[in-house]
Amino acid sequence: MAQQFILKTLLDFASAHSLRGYPGDCAKLHGHNWKIEIEVIGHKLNEIGMLIDFKEIKRHAKAVIDELDHSFLNDHPHFKELNPTAEHIAQYIYREIQNRIGSNQLKMHRLTVWENDRNCVIYSE
């Protein structure tokens, strides 16, 4: 089996949303302090022994997170029609980071979105 390296880094952001069509309190405006675990995977290290610098992963992820931070997610263009559930948020962040860092050498492995200390969504492709 070929070697593989999985790097994980953490970010967070705060935002509010309301879940359209939800039969309970989450249909009302409410907020979360989201925690995001970003995992990238690759097989080949560069000339100094790194898959990618953690700072580089964070730079790309932060570009995605910054557009969601301190916002009402229902107003974000991606969530105008798509319900801003934790599942859809995880999928969106994963794909946006993948578009920024994806290459033959490196790709997203999985993304975990924590909406609180007890509940999370893990997304991968």
Side-chain angles (χ1 to χ4, degrees):
M1 177 184 256
Q3 69 181 10
Q4 62 183 15
F5 298 91
I6 299 171
L7 280 64
K8 181 192 290 190
T9 192
L10 308 172
L11 291 172
D12 56 66
F13 71 98
S15 68
H17 66 163
S18 60
L19 300 181
R20 296 180 288 270
Y22 185 81
D25 287 343
C26 292
K28 299 174 188 173
L29 175 64
H30 66 284
H32 296 281
N33 291 315
W34 306 91
K35 291 182 177 63
I36 310 298
E37 298 179 20
I38 301 143
E39 297 179 42
V40 299
I41 189 169
H43 303 280
K44 186 176 179 187
L45 302 180
N46 65 18
E47 63 281 351
I48 64 168
M50 293 177 145
L51 184 62
I52 184 175
D53 192 327
F54 285 108
K55 290 179 185 177
E56 190 72 9
I57 300 169
K58 285 185 177 185
R59 183 176 66 80
H60 290 295
K62 193 162 171 21
V64 176
I65 300 302
D66 280 352
E67 64 183 58
L68 304 176
D69 191 30
H70 287 81
S71 72
F72 178 50
L73 296 177
N74 297 61
D75 287 342
H76 186 279
H78 187 78
F79 300 112
K80 282 288 191 182
E81 302 295 325
L82 193 63
N83 225 358
T85 62
E87 293 86 347
H88 284 147
I89 293 165
Q91 181 183 55
Y92 173 75
I93 293 170
Y94 178 104
R95 289 180 175 172
E96 289 296 308
I97 295 171
Q98 175 63 27
N99 287 340
R100 288 169 167 79
I101 67 166
S103 70
N104 290 336
Q105 304 297 323
L106 181 71
K107 67 176 190 164
M108 285 292 294
H109 178 58
R110 68 184 184 178
L111 185 111
T112 305
V113 172
W114 291 88
E115 70 174 24
N116 59 41
D117 291 337
R118 298 168 308 281
N119 303 318
C120 71
V121 172
I122 300 170
Y123 181 80
S124 64
E125 294 184 352

